[in-house]
Amino acid sequence: MVEEPRYGPGKRAVSEYREESERLQLAPGWHWPAPPSYPDIVDGHPMKHEINMGRVDAAWFWHCTWARTYLAATDPSARDAALAEVMKLRQSAYYRWGLDALERGWRDKVLDEVSSGDTKSFRQIIGLNCPENAESAA
């Protein structure tokens, strides 16, 4: 059996990002920004990117859109619909490939808190790591 490589060129990460962005639906009013830059040369040195990095980045952006929508929602049905999407983080590329076991456990704790109505930790994570709105994501 041939083992898949762990690292690849930037163009592979861009392709992964595009594939994942075609698969995921963002929250209403949001749009996909251009894929991040995945350079092959940094400061004159060759650079490789972990396989699935593009998928992880796209899945995190997708999650951010639903998280921001959830936190901003005033209509209970819109809030519930956004929460359902937020909870899908556990099935995402971000969760699968972007987190190790310890980080998944911590993220599960935060998601469990959110599902029970406690948004303090979640609000902090999203506030520090996600674009504020669709315009700031461009």
Side-chain angles (χ1 to χ4, degrees), residues 71-90:
L71 291 170
T74 55
D75 175 65
S77 63
R79 189 171 172 92
D80 289 347
L83 178 60
E85 293 298 315
V86 164
M87 291 301 151
K88 291 179 184 177
L89 180 68
R90 291 179 172 122

Side-chain angles (χ1 to χ4, degrees), residues 43-103:
D43 294 331
H45 300 284
M47 176 82 171
K48 296 285 185 182
H49 305 275
E50 284 192 65
I51 300 303
N52 295 313
M53 178 58 74
R55 287 182 183 85
V56 167
D57 290 345
W60 179 251
F61 182 77
W62 162 83
H63 178 69
C64 285
T65 72
W66 286 106
R68 289 286 188 188
T69 299
Y70 167 74
L71 291 170
T74 55
D75 175 65
S77 63
R79 189 171 172 92
D80 289 347
L83 178 60
E85 293 298 315
V86 164
M87 291 301 151
K88 291 179 184 177
L89 180 68
R90 291 179 172 122
Q91 288 81 46
S92 74
Y94 174 79
Y95 189 90
R96 182 175 178 187
W97 293 301
L99 302 174
D100 63 24
L102 182 63
E103 292 168 320

